[in-house]
PDB file of all heavy atoms in Angstrom:
ATOM      1  N   ILE D1308      43.822 -40.419  -6.178  1.00  0.00           N
ATOM      2  CA  ILE D1308      42.576 -39.634  -6.102  1.00  0.00           C
ATOM      3  C   ILE D1308      42.376 -39.137  -7.461  1.00  0.00           C
ATOM      4  O   ILE D1308      43.278 -38.441  -8.044  1.00  0.00           O
ATOM      5  CB  ILE D1308      42.795 -38.376  -5.155  1.00  0.00           C
ATOM      6  CG1 ILE D1308      43.149 -38.979  -3.640  1.00  0.00           C
ATOM      7  CG2 ILE D1308      41.431 -37.598  -5.133  1.00  0.00           C
ATOM      8  CD1 ILE D1308      43.490 -37.764  -2.704  1.00  0.00           C
ATOM      9  N   CYS D1309      41.229 -39.425  -8.008  1.00  0.00           N
ATOM     10  CA  CYS D1309      40.950 -38.968  -9.382  1.00  0.00           C
ATOM     11  C   CYS D1309      39.499 -38.905  -9.721  1.00  0.00           C
ATOM     12  O   CYS D1309      38.675 -39.348  -8.874  1.00  0.00           O
ATOM     13  CB  CYS D1309      41.684 -39.736 -10.510  1.00  0.00           C
ATOM     14  SG  CYS D1309      41.159 -41.485 -10.791  1.00  0.00           S
ATOM     15  N   ALA D1310      39.048 -38.315 -10.803  1.00  0.00           N
ATOM     16  CA  ALA D1310      37.727 -38.308 -11.240  1.00  0.00           C
ATOM     17  C   ALA D1310      37.327 -39.758 -11.749  1.00  0.00           C
ATOM     18  O   ALA D1310      38.117 -40.467 -12.322  1.00  0.00           O
ATOM     19  CB  ALA D1310      37.493 -37.248 -12.262  1.00  0.00           C
ATOM     20  N   ASP D1326      41.659 -45.144  -5.353  1.00  0.00           N
ATOM     21  CA  ASP D1326      41.047 -45.271  -4.055  1.00  0.00           C
ATOM     22  C   ASP D1326      40.036 -44.267  -3.695  1.00  0.00           C
ATOM     23  O   ASP D1326      39.077 -44.647  -2.946  1.00  0.00           O
ATOM     24  CB  ASP D1326      42.279 -45.078  -3.080  1.00  0.00           C
ATOM     25  CG  ASP D1326      43.403 -46.058  -3.156  1.00  0.00           C
ATOM     26  OD1 ASP D1326      43.308 -47.094  -2.776  1.00  0.00           O
ATOM     27  OD2 ASP D1326      44.544 -45.649  -3.929  1.00  0.00           O
ATOM     28  N   PHE D1327      40.052 -43.031  -4.410  1.00  0.00           N
ATOM     29  CA  PHE D1327      39.057 -42.091  -4.068  1.00  0.00           C
ATOM     30  C   PHE D1327      38.609 -41.529  -5.396  1.00  0.00           C
ATOM     31  O   PHE D1327      39.503 -41.115  -6.225  1.00  0.00           O
ATOM     32  CB  PHE D1327      39.676 -40.987  -3.202  1.00  0.00           C
ATOM     33  CG  PHE D1327      40.228 -41.444  -1.882  1.00  0.00           C
ATOM     34  CD1 PHE D1327      41.618 -41.727  -1.551  1.00  0.00           C
ATOM     35  CD2 PHE D1327      39.376 -41.728  -0.642  1.00  0.00           C
ATOM     36  CE1 PHE D1327      42.054 -42.147  -0.518  1.00  0.00           C
ATOM     37  CE2 PHE D1327      39.918 -42.293   0.283  1.00  0.00           C
ATOM     38  CZ  PHE D1327      41.310 -42.469   0.543  1.00  0.00           C
ATOM     39  N   LEU D1328      37.360 -41.225  -5.490  1.00  0.00           N
ATOM     40  CA  LEU D1328      36.815 -40.567  -6.734  1.00  0.00           C
ATOM     41  C   LEU D1328      36.216 -39.121  -6.231  1.00  0.00           C
ATOM     42  O   LEU D1328      35.180 -39.085  -5.512  1.00  0.00           O
ATOM     43  CB  LEU D1328      35.740 -41.452  -7.389  1.00  0.00           C
ATOM     44  CG  LEU D1328      36.089 -42.846  -7.763  1.00  0.00           C
ATOM     45  CD1 LEU D1328      34.946 -43.564  -8.294  1.00  0.00           C
ATOM     46  CD2 LEU D1328      37.212 -42.652  -8.815  1.00  0.00           C
ATOM     47  N   TYR D1329      37.007 -38.151  -6.638  1.00  0.00           N
ATOM     48  CA  TYR D1329      36.625 -36.871  -5.994  1.00  0.00           C
ATOM     49  C   TYR D1329      35.416 -36.152  -6.624  1.00  0.00           C
ATOM     50  O   TYR D1329      34.836 -35.195  -6.087  1.00  0.00           O
ATOM     51  CB  TYR D1329      37.816 -35.741  -6.094  1.00  0.00           C
ATOM     52  CG  TYR D1329      38.219 -35.425  -7.549  1.00  0.00           C
ATOM     53  CD1 TYR D1329      37.452 -34.642  -8.268  1.00  0.00           C
ATOM     54  CD2 TYR D1329      39.384 -35.967  -8.044  1.00  0.00           C
ATOM     55  CE1 TYR D1329      37.864 -34.037  -9.487  1.00  0.00           C
ATOM     56  CE2 TYR D1329      39.776 -35.519  -9.371  1.00  0.00           C
ATOM     57  CZ  TYR D1329      39.003 -34.600 -10.024  1.00  0.00           C
ATOM     58  OH  TYR D1329      39.355 -34.260 -11.305  1.00  0.00           O
ATOM     59  N   ASP D1330      34.848 -36.774  -7.691  1.00  0.00           N
ATOM     60  CA  ASP D1330      33.656 -36.207  -8.360  1.00  0.00           C
ATOM     61  C   ASP D1330      32.431 -37.039  -7.699  1.00  0.00           C
ATOM     62  O   ASP D1330      31.192 -36.950  -8.279  1.00  0.00           O
ATOM     63  CB  ASP D1330      33.663 -36.206  -9.726  1.00  0.00           C
ATOM     64  CG  ASP D1330      33.846 -37.511 -10.383  1.00  0.00           C
ATOM     65  OD1 ASP D1330      34.492 -38.399  -9.720  1.00  0.00           O
ATOM     66  OD2 ASP D1330      33.380 -37.910 -11.469  1.00  0.00           O
ATOM     67  N   VAL D1331      32.719 -37.919  -6.811  1.00  0.00           N
ATOM     68  CA  VAL D1331      31.547 -38.624  -6.113  1.00  0.00           C
ATOM     69  C   VAL D1331      31.347 -38.179  -4.668  1.00  0.00           C
ATOM     70  O   VAL D1331      32.398 -38.179  -3.990  1.00  0.00           O
ATOM     71  CB  VAL D1331      31.752 -40.264  -6.297  1.00  0.00           C
ATOM     72  CG1 VAL D1331      30.763 -40.969  -5.515  1.00  0.00           C
ATOM     73  CG2 VAL D1331      31.830 -40.629  -7.675  1.00  0.00           C
ATOM     74  N   VAL D1332      30.132 -37.908  -4.295  1.00  0.00           N
ATOM     75  CA  VAL D1332      29.971 -37.455  -2.867  1.00  0.00           C
ATOM     76  C   VAL D1332      29.236 -38.500  -2.091  1.00  0.00           C
ATOM     77  O   VAL D1332      28.571 -39.264  -2.616  1.00  0.00           O
ATOM     78  CB  VAL D1332      29.294 -36.206  -2.723  1.00  0.00           C
ATOM     79  CG1 VAL D1332      30.069 -34.999  -3.385  1.00  0.00           C
ATOM     80  CG2 VAL D1332      27.844 -36.221  -3.611  1.00  0.00           C
ATOM     81  N   ARG D1333      29.312 -38.607  -0.814  1.00  0.00           N
ATOM     82  CA  ARG D1333      28.849 -39.572   0.053  1.00  0.00           C
ATOM     83  C   ARG D1333      27.281 -39.813  -0.053  1.00  0.00           C
ATOM     84  O   ARG D1333      26.886 -40.995  -0.078  1.00  0.00           O
ATOM     85  CB  ARG D1333      29.166 -39.297   1.593  1.00  0.00           C
ATOM     86  CG  ARG D1333      30.583 -39.715   1.992  1.00  0.00           C
ATOM     87  CD  ARG D1333      30.861 -39.380   3.384  1.00  0.00           C
ATOM     88  NE  ARG D1333      32.271 -39.699   3.815  1.00  0.00           N
ATOM     89  CZ  ARG D1333      32.722 -39.288   4.752  1.00  0.00           C
ATOM     90  NH1 ARG D1333      32.095 -38.561   5.698  1.00  0.00           N
ATOM     91  NH2 ARG D1333      33.966 -39.566   5.127  1.00  0.00           N
ATOM     92  N   ASP D1334      26.531 -38.744  -0.089  1.00  0.00           N
ATOM     93  CA  ASP D1334      25.093 -38.947  -0.193  1.00  0.00           C
ATOM     94  C   ASP D1334      24.519 -39.249  -1.572  1.00  0.00           C
ATOM     95  O   ASP D1334      23.404 -39.394  -1.779  1.00  0.00           O
ATOM     96  CB  ASP D1334      24.338 -37.749   0.414  1.00  0.00           C
ATOM     97  CG  ASP D1334      24.825 -36.429  -0.362  1.00  0.00           C
ATOM     98  OD1 ASP D1334      25.626 -36.402  -1.205  1.00  0.00           O
ATOM     99  OD2 ASP D1334      24.050 -35.378  -0.188  1.00  0.00           O
ATOM    100  N   LYS D1335      25.491 -39.385  -2.632  1.00  0.00           N
ATOM    101  CA  LYS D1335      24.989 -39.742  -3.842  1.00  0.00           C
ATOM    102  C   LYS D1335      26.029 -40.617  -4.584  1.00  0.00           C
ATOM    103  O   LYS D1335      26.691 -40.280  -5.633  1.00  0.00           O
ATOM    104  CB  LYS D1335      24.957 -38.406  -4.744  1.00  0.00           C
ATOM    105  CG  LYS D1335      23.722 -37.533  -4.210  1.00  0.00           C
ATOM    106  CD  LYS D1335      23.636 -36.230  -5.274  1.00  0.00           C
ATOM    107  CE  LYS D1335      22.494 -35.405  -4.751  1.00  0.00           C
ATOM    108  NZ  LYS D1335      22.398 -34.043  -5.669  1.00  0.00           N
ATOM    109  N   VAL D1336      26.337 -41.683  -4.008  1.00  0.00           N
ATOM    110  CA  VAL D1336      27.199 -42.693  -4.606  1.00  0.00           C
ATOM    111  C   VAL D1336      26.377 -43.627  -5.480  1.00  0.00           C
ATOM    112  O   VAL D1336      25.579 -44.538  -5.127  1.00  0.00           O
ATOM    113  CB  VAL D1336      27.809 -43.518  -3.522  1.00  0.00           C
ATOM    114  CG1 VAL D1336      28.868 -44.561  -4.026  1.00  0.00           C
ATOM    115  CG2 VAL D1336      28.585 -42.663  -2.491  1.00  0.00           C
ATOM    116  N   ARG D1343      33.822 -47.544  -2.952  1.00  0.00           N
ATOM    117  CA  ARG D1343      34.962 -46.676  -3.436  1.00  0.00           C
ATOM    118  C   ARG D1343      34.845 -45.419  -2.486  1.00  0.00           C
ATOM    119  O   ARG D1343      33.899 -44.965  -2.052  1.00  0.00           O
ATOM    120  CB  ARG D1343      34.854 -46.271  -4.885  1.00  0.00           C
ATOM    121  CG  ARG D1343      34.797 -47.405  -5.897  1.00  0.00           C
ATOM    122  CD  ARG D1343      35.996 -48.313  -6.001  1.00  0.00           C
ATOM    123  NE  ARG D1343      36.994 -47.473  -6.675  1.00  0.00           N
ATOM    124  CZ  ARG D1343      36.988 -47.297  -8.047  1.00  0.00           C
ATOM    125  NH1 ARG D1343      36.109 -47.902  -8.839  1.00  0.00           N
ATOM    126  NH2 ARG D1343      37.985 -46.589  -8.629  1.00  0.00           N
ATOM    127  N   GLY D1344      36.037 -44.852  -2.273  1.00  0.00           N
ATOM    128  CA  GLY D1344      36.269 -43.623  -1.619  1.00  0.00           C
ATOM    129  C   GLY D1344      35.664 -42.420  -2.179  1.00  0.00           C
ATOM    130  O   GLY D1344      35.787 -42.320  -3.447  1.00  0.00           O
ATOM    131  N   THR D1345      35.032 -41.626  -1.566  1.00  0.00           N
ATOM    132  CA  THR D1345      34.385 -40.331  -2.013  1.00  0.00           C
ATOM    133  C   THR D1345      35.265 -39.132  -1.840  1.00  0.00           C
ATOM    134  O   THR D1345      36.286 -39.191  -1.295  1.00  0.00           O
ATOM    135  CB  THR D1345      32.959 -40.198  -1.470  1.00  0.00           C
ATOM    136  OG1 THR D1345      33.244 -39.844  -0.105  1.00  0.00           O
ATOM    137  CG2 THR D1345      32.068 -41.397  -1.573  1.00  0.00           C
ATOM    138  N   PHE D1346      34.746 -37.935  -2.325  1.00  0.00           N
ATOM    139  CA  PHE D1346      35.390 -36.643  -2.096  1.00  0.00           C
ATOM    140  C   PHE D1346      35.622 -36.492  -0.670  1.00  0.00           C
ATOM    141  O   PHE D1346      36.698 -36.091  -0.180  1.00  0.00           O
ATOM    142  CB  PHE D1346      34.476 -35.498  -2.745  1.00  0.00           C
ATOM    143  CG  PHE D1346      35.105 -34.208  -2.529  1.00  0.00           C
ATOM    144  CD1 PHE D1346      36.117 -33.715  -3.264  1.00  0.00           C
ATOM    145  CD2 PHE D1346      34.496 -33.354  -1.496  1.00  0.00           C
ATOM    146  CE1 PHE D1346      36.647 -32.490  -3.074  1.00  0.00           C
ATOM    147  CE2 PHE D1346      35.102 -32.020  -1.353  1.00  0.00           C
ATOM    148  CZ  PHE D1346      36.130 -31.648  -2.199  1.00  0.00           C
ATOM    149  N   GLU D1347      34.517 -36.791   0.105  1.00  0.00           N
ATOM    150  CA  GLU D1347      34.766 -36.457   1.599  1.00  0.00           C
ATOM    151  C   GLU D1347      35.718 -37.299   2.206  1.00  0.00           C
ATOM    152  O   GLU D1347      36.627 -37.176   3.065  1.00  0.00           O
ATOM    153  CB  GLU D1347      33.366 -36.619   2.278  1.00  0.00           C
ATOM    154  CG  GLU D1347      32.292 -35.586   2.033  1.00  0.00           C
ATOM    155  CD  GLU D1347      31.485 -36.075   0.754  1.00  0.00           C
ATOM    156  OE1 GLU D1347      31.903 -36.906  -0.039  1.00  0.00           O
ATOM    157  OE2 GLU D1347      30.570 -35.264   0.374  1.00  0.00           O
ATOM    158  N   ASP D1348      35.782 -38.719   1.809  1.00  0.00           N
ATOM    159  CA  ASP D1348      36.882 -39.601   2.174  1.00  0.00           C
ATOM    160  C   ASP D1348      38.234 -39.199   1.914  1.00  0.00           C
ATOM    161  O   ASP D1348      39.126 -39.386   2.686  1.00  0.00           O
ATOM    162  CB  ASP D1348      36.550 -41.021   1.532  1.00  0.00           C
ATOM    163  CG  ASP D1348      35.289 -41.660   2.090  1.00  0.00           C
ATOM    164  OD1 ASP D1348      34.767 -41.320   3.240  1.00  0.00           O
ATOM    165  OD2 ASP D1348      34.624 -42.345   1.204  1.00  0.00           O
ATOM    166  N   ALA D1349      38.385 -38.679   0.675  1.00  0.00           N
ATOM    167  CA  ALA D1349      39.720 -38.149   0.327  1.00  0.00           C
ATOM    168  C   ALA D1349      40.208 -37.019   1.077  1.00  0.00           C
ATOM    169  O   ALA D1349      41.343 -37.008   1.606  1.00  0.00           O
ATOM    170  CB  ALA D1349      39.593 -37.677  -1.268  1.00  0.00           C
ATOM    171  N   LEU D1350      39.238 -36.137   1.411  1.00  0.00           N
ATOM    172  CA  LEU D1350      39.610 -34.972   2.402  1.00  0.00           C
ATOM    173  C   LEU D1350      40.086 -35.485   3.793  1.00  0.00           C
ATOM    174  O   LEU D1350      41.093 -35.041   4.399  1.00  0.00           O
ATOM    175  CB  LEU D1350      38.500 -34.039   2.538  1.00  0.00           C
ATOM    176  CG  LEU D1350      38.054 -33.171   1.421  1.00  0.00           C
ATOM    177  CD1 LEU D1350      36.898 -32.432   1.597  1.00  0.00           C
ATOM    178  CD2 LEU D1350      39.126 -32.433   0.871  1.00  0.00           C
ATOM    179  N   GLU D1351      39.422 -36.531   4.293  1.00  0.00           N
ATOM    180  CA  GLU D1351      39.737 -37.124   5.522  1.00  0.00           C
ATOM    181  C   GLU D1351      41.179 -37.672   5.491  1.00  0.00           C
ATOM    182  O   GLU D1351      41.886 -37.649   6.344  1.00  0.00           O
ATOM    183  CB  GLU D1351      38.635 -38.018   6.085  1.00  0.00           C
ATOM    184  CG  GLU D1351      37.360 -37.401   6.333  1.00  0.00           C
ATOM    185  CD  GLU D1351      36.180 -38.416   6.790  1.00  0.00           C
ATOM    186  OE1 GLU D1351      36.448 -39.623   6.740  1.00  0.00           O
ATOM    187  OE2 GLU D1351      35.020 -38.021   7.020  1.00  0.00           O
ATOM    188  N   ALA D1352      41.308 -38.485   4.308  1.00  0.00           N
ATOM    189  CA  ALA D1352      42.567 -39.102   4.209  1.00  0.00           C
ATOM    190  C   ALA D1352      43.798 -38.184   4.071  1.00  0.00           C
ATOM    191  O   ALA D1352      44.946 -38.518   4.582  1.00  0.00           O
ATOM    192  CB  ALA D1352      42.546 -40.081   3.052  1.00  0.00           C
ATOM    193  N   LEU D1353      43.513 -36.968   3.601  1.00  0.00           N
ATOM    194  CA  LEU D1353      44.507 -35.989   3.546  1.00  0.00           C
ATOM    195  C   LEU D1353      44.956 -35.326   4.907  1.00  0.00           C
ATOM    196  O   LEU D1353      45.924 -34.659   5.044  1.00  0.00           O
ATOM    197  CB  LEU D1353      44.174 -34.895   2.482  1.00  0.00           C
ATOM    198  CG  LEU D1353      44.193 -35.394   1.090  1.00  0.00           C
ATOM    199  CD1 LEU D1353      43.539 -34.316   0.164  1.00  0.00           C
ATOM    200  CD2 LEU D1353      45.616 -35.607   0.538  1.00  0.00           C
ATOM    201  N   ALA D1357      46.314 -30.983   2.684  1.00  0.00           N
ATOM    202  CA  ALA D1357      45.994 -30.318   1.283  1.00  0.00           C
ATOM    203  C   ALA D1357      44.573 -30.193   1.379  1.00  0.00           C
ATOM    204  O   ALA D1357      43.810 -30.909   1.892  1.00  0.00           O
ATOM    205  CB  ALA D1357      46.445 -31.368   0.222  1.00  0.00           C
ATOM    206  N   ARG D1358      44.110 -29.116   0.603  1.00  0.00           N
ATOM    207  CA  ARG D1358      42.682 -28.896   0.379  1.00  0.00           C
ATOM    208  C   ARG D1358      42.333 -29.207  -1.083  1.00  0.00           C
ATOM    209  O   ARG D1358      43.097 -28.753  -1.970  1.00  0.00           O
ATOM    210  CB  ARG D1358      42.386 -27.415   0.841  1.00  0.00           C
ATOM    211  CG  ARG D1358      42.579 -27.253   2.337  1.00  0.00           C
ATOM    212  CD  ARG D1358      42.294 -25.882   2.746  1.00  0.00           C
ATOM    213  NE  ARG D1358      40.824 -25.492   2.517  1.00  0.00           N
ATOM    214  CZ  ARG D1358      40.290 -24.329   2.952  1.00  0.00           C
ATOM    215  NH1 ARG D1358      40.963 -23.394   3.497  1.00  0.00           N
ATOM    216  NH2 ARG D1358      38.883 -24.211   2.832  1.00  0.00           N
ATOM    217  N   LEU D1359      41.174 -29.707  -1.305  1.00  0.00           N
ATOM    218  CA  LEU D1359      40.704 -29.940  -2.636  1.00  0.00           C
ATOM    219  C   LEU D1359      39.469 -29.174  -2.968  1.00  0.00           C
ATOM    220  O   LEU D1359      38.528 -29.076  -2.085  1.00  0.00           O
ATOM    221  CB  LEU D1359      40.365 -31.436  -2.781  1.00  0.00           C
ATOM    222  CG  LEU D1359      41.531 -32.432  -2.412  1.00  0.00           C
ATOM    223  CD1 LEU D1359      41.043 -33.909  -2.657  1.00  0.00           C
ATOM    224  CD2 LEU D1359      42.823 -32.246  -3.251  1.00  0.00           C
ATOM    225  N   PHE D1360      39.403 -28.581  -4.112  1.00  0.00           N
ATOM    226  CA  PHE D1360      38.222 -27.768  -4.547  1.00  0.00           C
ATOM    227  C   PHE D1360      37.793 -28.471  -5.894  1.00  0.00           C
ATOM    228  O   PHE D1360      38.418 -28.247  -6.977  1.00  0.00           O
ATOM    229  CB  PHE D1360      38.529 -26.423  -4.820  1.00  0.00           C
ATOM    230  CG  PHE D1360      38.997 -25.692  -3.603  1.00  0.00           C
ATOM    231  CD1 PHE D1360      40.370 -25.696  -3.168  1.00  0.00           C
ATOM    232  CD2 PHE D1360      38.090 -24.978  -2.733  1.00  0.00           C
ATOM    233  CE1 PHE D1360      40.706 -25.165  -1.979  1.00  0.00           C
ATOM    234  CE2 PHE D1360      38.560 -24.323  -1.766  1.00  0.00           C
ATOM    235  CZ  PHE D1360      39.881 -24.448  -1.365  1.00  0.00           C
ATOM    236  N   HIS D1361      36.783 -29.250  -5.861  1.00  0.00           N
ATOM    237  CA  HIS D1361      36.271 -29.901  -7.179  1.00  0.00           C
ATOM    238  C   HIS D1361      35.366 -28.904  -7.883  1.00  0.00           C
ATOM    239  O   HIS D1361      34.387 -28.405  -7.291  1.00  0.00           O
ATOM    240  CB  HIS D1361      35.621 -31.248  -6.952  1.00  0.00           C
ATOM    241  CG  HIS D1361      34.925 -31.760  -8.150  1.00  0.00           C
ATOM    242  ND1 HIS D1361      33.734 -32.339  -7.971  1.00  0.00           N
ATOM    243  CD2 HIS D1361      35.248 -31.810  -9.448  1.00  0.00           C
ATOM    244  CE1 HIS D1361      33.266 -32.755  -9.298  1.00  0.00           C
ATOM    245  NE2 HIS D1361      34.332 -32.401 -10.034  1.00  0.00           N
ATOM    246  N   ILE D1362      35.661 -28.657  -9.144  1.00  0.00           N
ATOM    247  CA  ILE D1362      34.896 -27.623  -9.856  1.00  0.00           C
ATOM    248  C   ILE D1362      33.721 -28.418 -10.485  1.00  0.00           C
ATOM    249  O   ILE D1362      33.810 -28.959 -11.628  1.00  0.00           O
ATOM    250  CB  ILE D1362      35.592 -26.849 -10.995  1.00  0.00           C
ATOM    251  CG1 ILE D1362      36.929 -26.228 -10.236  1.00  0.00           C
ATOM    252  CG2 ILE D1362      34.851 -25.819 -11.601  1.00  0.00           C
ATOM    253  CD1 ILE D1362      36.497 -25.327  -9.093  1.00  0.00           C
ATOM    254  N   ARG D1363      32.672 -28.536  -9.872  1.00  0.00           N
ATOM    255  CA  ARG D1363      31.465 -29.372 -10.354  1.00  0.00           C
ATOM    256  C   ARG D1363      30.904 -28.673 -11.686  1.00  0.00           C
ATOM    257  O   ARG D1363      31.004 -27.415 -11.791  1.00  0.00           O
ATOM    258  CB  ARG D1363      30.417 -29.412  -9.369  1.00  0.00           C
ATOM    259  CG  ARG D1363      30.733 -30.160  -8.112  1.00  0.00           C
ATOM    260  CD  ARG D1363      29.739 -30.115  -7.052  1.00  0.00           C
ATOM    261  NE  ARG D1363      29.367 -28.756  -6.557  1.00  0.00           N
ATOM    262  CZ  ARG D1363      28.299 -28.116  -6.879  1.00  0.00           C
ATOM    263  NH1 ARG D1363      27.390 -28.721  -7.729  1.00  0.00           N
ATOM    264  NH2 ARG D1363      28.135 -26.818  -6.479  1.00  0.00           N
ATOM    265  N   GLN D1369      36.545 -32.225 -15.276  1.00  0.00           N
ATOM    266  CA  GLN D1369      36.328 -32.293 -13.789  1.00  0.00           C
ATOM    267  C   GLN D1369      37.343 -31.626 -12.995  1.00  0.00           C
ATOM    268  O   GLN D1369      38.040 -32.279 -12.126  1.00  0.00           O
ATOM    269  CB  GLN D1369      36.153 -33.921 -13.415  1.00  0.00           C
ATOM    270  CG  GLN D1369      35.069 -34.516 -14.057  1.00  0.00           C
ATOM    271  CD  GLN D1369      33.617 -34.042 -13.396  1.00  0.00           C
ATOM    272  OE1 GLN D1369      33.641 -33.461 -12.462  1.00  0.00           O
ATOM    273  NE2 GLN D1369      32.631 -34.611 -14.067  1.00  0.00           N
ATOM    274  N   ALA D1370      37.584 -30.407 -13.238  1.00  0.00           N
ATOM    275  CA  ALA D1370      38.578 -29.632 -12.722  1.00  0.00           C
ATOM    276  C   ALA D1370      38.799 -29.729 -11.193  1.00  0.00           C
ATOM    277  O   ALA D1370      37.799 -29.816 -10.548  1.00  0.00           O
ATOM    278  CB  ALA D1370      38.558 -28.103 -13.209  1.00  0.00           C
ATOM    279  N   LEU D1371      39.994 -29.754 -10.832  1.00  0.00           N
ATOM    280  CA  LEU D1371      40.292 -29.862  -9.328  1.00  0.00           C
ATOM    281  C   LEU D1371      41.437 -28.983  -9.045  1.00  0.00           C
ATOM    282  O   LEU D1371      42.458 -28.943  -9.519  1.00  0.00           O
ATOM    283  CB  LEU D1371      40.772 -31.239  -9.052  1.00  0.00           C
ATOM    284  CG  LEU D1371      41.037 -31.511  -7.477  1.00  0.00           C
ATOM    285  CD1 LEU D1371      39.697 -31.707  -6.823  1.00  0.00           C
ATOM    286  CD2 LEU D1371      41.911 -32.850  -7.349  1.00  0.00           C
ATOM    287  N   PHE D1372      41.121 -28.042  -8.082  1.00  0.00           N
ATOM    288  CA  PHE D1372      42.111 -27.169  -7.482  1.00  0.00           C
ATOM    289  C   PHE D1372      42.764 -27.896  -6.285  1.00  0.00           C
ATOM    290  O   PHE D1372      41.920 -28.332  -5.516  1.00  0.00           O
ATOM    291  CB  PHE D1372      41.544 -25.807  -6.838  1.00  0.00           C
ATOM    292  CG  PHE D1372      41.014 -24.883  -7.991  1.00  0.00           C
ATOM    293  CD1 PHE D1372      40.173 -23.954  -7.696  1.00  0.00           C
ATOM    294  CD2 PHE D1372      41.179 -25.140  -9.307  1.00  0.00           C
ATOM    295  CE1 PHE D1372      39.634 -22.992  -8.697  1.00  0.00           C
ATOM    296  CE2 PHE D1372      40.832 -24.285 -10.304  1.00  0.00           C
ATOM    297  CZ  PHE D1372      40.000 -23.255  -9.969  1.00  0.00           C
ATOM    298  N   VAL D1373      44.104 -27.895  -6.227  1.00  0.00           N
ATOM    299  CA  VAL D1373      44.722 -28.534  -5.114  1.00  0.00           C
ATOM    300  C   VAL D1373      45.584 -27.513  -4.342  1.00  0.00           C
ATOM    301  O   VAL D1373      46.444 -26.802  -4.938  1.00  0.00           O
ATOM    302  CB  VAL D1373      45.685 -29.660  -5.653  1.00  0.00           C
ATOM    303  CG1 VAL D1373      46.370 -30.294  -4.281  1.00  0.00           C
ATOM    304  CG2 VAL D1373      45.003 -30.798  -6.293  1.00  0.00           C
ATOM    305  N   SER D1464      30.255 -23.251  -8.710  1.00  0.00           N
ATOM    306  CA  SER D1464      31.248 -23.908  -8.002  1.00  0.00           C
ATOM    307  C   SER D1464      32.619 -23.133  -8.199  1.00  0.00           C
ATOM    308  O   SER D1464      33.314 -23.023  -7.134  1.00  0.00           O
ATOM    309  CB  SER D1464      31.618 -25.312  -8.689  1.00  0.00           C
ATOM    310  OG  SER D1464      32.496 -26.064  -8.023  1.00  0.00           O
TER     311      SER D1464
END
Side-chain angles (χ1 to χ4, degrees):
I1308 304 173
C1309 70
D1326 300 280
F1327 305 99
L1328 302 174
Y1329 65 74
D1330 58 332
V1331 175
V1332 294
R1333 279 179 182 166
D1334 58 349
K1335 295 182 180 179
V1336 179
R1343 306 286 291 279
T1345 64
F1346 178 77
E1347 294 84 356
D1348 295 326
L1350 293 179
E1351 291 176 3
L1353 290 168
R1358 297 180 67 176
L1359 306 179
F1360 301 84
H1361 174 218
I1362 307 305
R1363 297 176 298 106
Q1369 292 293 347
L1371 184 74
F1372 293 165
V1373 180
S1464 188

